[in-house]
Amino acid sequence: MNRAETMLMNNPARARLQRAYEVPLLQRLGAELDEADVVEIGCGRGVGTELLLRRMGAAHVTALDLDPAMVQRAQRRLARYATRVDVKLGDACELPLADAAVDAVVDFGVIHHVPAWRDAVAEVARVLRPGGQFVFEEVTRHALQRWSYRTFLEHPEHDRFSAEEFLAELARIGFTLPRPAVTRFFGDFVIGVAVKPSTTRPGPR
Ligand SMILES: C[S@@+](CC[C@H](N)C(=O)[O-])C[C@H]1O[C@@H](n2cnc3c(N)ncnc32)[C@H](O)[C@@H]1O
């Protein structure tokens, strides 16, 4: 993330949005993390991780980020949760977890930062147990093409996804969405809860 986006993310307004809007919406869409073993990819400064533990009832969260400065911030914020949280460096495309290791993977606006975004989605599927949930809030190509995003923020420029393409990739891998995902802000965001089936057999890309 560049300076502008770091300021946007490490900001009380971002925390309020996550707490007051995104978490309740994800719960309405079927996110069920009570007593779950969760991994959060791209945890940033750890506000989302705290919500997963306190508001959504996760038993344990492995919180990962590619940026060492963010990991340090999150470690400071989350120190009080002791053994319920493990905050460390980690790449969404190469998760430091065994196959079928967790009950849920949470993505608060991270995969649109990943150049090989389909690899990140495949990693999510790999580490989830059958029946596990992929809880996502993602930023689409529609947003990334806006003047404001192109001028002030930095994202990979090629092969960004629309809401439909993101959902199609989930379907190709075999995820199902018991409740339809929603788009927000004229299609800038796609938000939903996908479930990994008992067996995944990806279709052709
Ligand atoms: C837009 S911020 C979102 C931060 C936080 N999830 C939130 O909602 O406030 C994206 C975060 O993803 C991290 N990130 C980017 N690419 C990543 C990757 N491949 N693996 C893990 N984290 C990544 C960035 O360092 C940054 O902290």
Side-chain angles (χ1 to χ4, degrees), residues 30-34 36-38 99-105 124-135 173-178 193-200:
E32 177 51 79
L33 303 186
D34 216 24
D37 190 4
V38 179
D99 295 357
V102 294
D103 300 312
V105 179
V124 170
R126 182 184 70 76
V127 302
L128 270 178
R129 68 162 170 78
Q133 291 189 331
F134 175 35
V135 177
I173 290 183
F175 279 103
T176 58
L177 275 88
V193 179
V195 175
K196 176 176 166 174
S198 310
T199 53
T200 47

Side-chain angles (χ1 to χ4, degrees), residues 2 45 51 64 71 86 100 128 161 181 184-185 195 201:
N2 68 3
R45 64 180 178 140
L51 292 168
L64 304 171
V71 171
D86 183 16
L128 270 178
F161 48 80
R184 288 291 183 266
F185 204 74
V195 175
R201 210 173 299 138

Side-chain angles (χ1 to χ4, degrees), residues 34-79:
D34 216 24
E35 291 302 316
D37 190 4
V38 179
V39 61
E40 185 189 357
I41 55 174
C43 64
R45 64 180 178 140
V47 171
T49 313
E50 198 162 15
L51 292 168
L52 302 177
L53 291 163
R54 290 179 64 152
R55 287 272 298 277
M56 300 183 80
H60 183 270
V61 181
T62 302
L64 304 171
D65 203 285
L66 201 55
D67 180 345
M70 286 302 197
V71 171
Q72 272 187 12
R73 276 173 174 266
Q75 281 171 336
R76 280 198 297 274
R77 169 182 290 277
L78 299 166

Side-chain angles (χ1 to χ4, degrees), residues 104-182:
V105 179
V106 177
D107 162 21
F108 284 117
V110 179
I111 289 180
H112 69 285
H113 273 279
V114 179
W117 65 271
R118 291 180 187 81
D119 292 351
V121 173
E123 269 297 87
V124 170
R126 182 184 70 76
V127 302
L128 270 178
R129 68 162 170 78
Q133 291 189 331
F134 175 35
V135 177
F136 58 89
E137 175 262 310
E138 262 310 330
V139 183
T140 67
R141 182 168 67 225
H142 196 260
L144 301 180
Q145 284 173 343
R146 285 185 190 280
W147 175 85
S148 51
Y149 276 79
R150 287 186 286 110
T151 306
F152 298 112
L153 309 178
E154 271 174 23
H155 293 95
E157 290 180 6
H158 302 293
D159 189 27
R160 297 304 81 196
F161 48 80
S162 65
E164 294 74 20
E165 286 162 352
F166 189 73
L167 297 173
E169 182 63 10
L170 295 182
R172 188 188 71 80
I173 290 183
F175 279 103
T176 58
L177 275 88
R179 296 180 201 173
V182 297

